[in-house]
C-alpha cells in the first residue's frame, strides 16, 4: 500500500490542521481580527455579545464548509488531471 494512503488512514496527514507563521500575512490578519473582536466585545452588553457570538459561529461554520468544498473540488480536479495524463502515456 502507498505510504501516503497509510499516513492518511492512520491520521498522520490531516489537511484541515495546518500551522502558520504568526508573522505571515495570515498571522497578521488573524491578530487584527482577534484585537478587533476584543474591542468590539468591550462595547457590547450581554445580549449583544451573544448575538455577535452567534454571528461569529455561523460565519465560522460557513467558512469551514466552503474550505472543505474547495479542498474536495481541488482534489477532484487534480485526479481528473492525473487521469488524463495517465491516459496520454
Amino acid at each position: 500500500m502507498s505510504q501516503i494512503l497509510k499516513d492518511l488512514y492512520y491520521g498522520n496527514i490531516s489537511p484541515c490542521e495546518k500551522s502558520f507563521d504568526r508573522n505571515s500575512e495570515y498571522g497578521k490578519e488573524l491578530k487584527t481580527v482577534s484585537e478587533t473582536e476584543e474591542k468590539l466585545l468591550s462595547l457590547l452588553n450581554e445580549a449583544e455579545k451573544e448575538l455577535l457570538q452567534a454571528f461569529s459561529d455561523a460565519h465560522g461554520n460557513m467558512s469551514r464548509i466552503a474550505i472543505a468544498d474547495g479542498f474536495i473540488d481541488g482534489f477532484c480536479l487534480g485526479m481528473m488531471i492525473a487521469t488524463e495524463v495517465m491516459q496520454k502515456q
Side-chain angles (χ1 to χ4, degrees):
M1 183 174 6
S2 168
Q3 185 62 41
I4 195 165
L5 293 178
K6 284 182 184 178
D7 286 343
L8 186 59
Y9 177 80
Y10 289 111
N12 298 329
I13 298 173
S14 181
C16 63
E17 293 178 10
K18 182 179 175 186
S19 61
F20 62 92
D21 178 357
R22 293 189 184 279
N23 292 317
S24 67
E25 183 179 3
Y26 178 84
K28 291 174 184 174
E29 289 300 322
L30 182 60
K31 182 179 179 191
T32 299
V33 166
S34 180
E35 290 172 351
T36 304
E37 180 182 27
E38 288 299 317
K39 289 176 186 175
L40 182 56
L41 286 172
S42 73
L43 301 172
L44 302 177
N45 64 38
E46 282 307 310
E48 293 166 335
K49 287 179 184 179
E50 289 176 16
L51 183 59
L52 178 61
Q53 187 61 55
F55 169 81
S56 181
D57 291 346
H59 188 269
N61 290 334
M62 189 177 63
S63 293
R64 279 187 288 282
I65 292 166
I67 290 167
D69 286 349
F71 174 81
I72 292 166
D73 290 346
F75 186 87
C76 290
L77 177 59
M79 291 305 296
M80 286 189 290
I81 291 169
T83 300
E84 187 169 320
V85 167
M86 295 303 290
Q87 290 174 351
K88 299 244 182 216
Q89 294 182 3

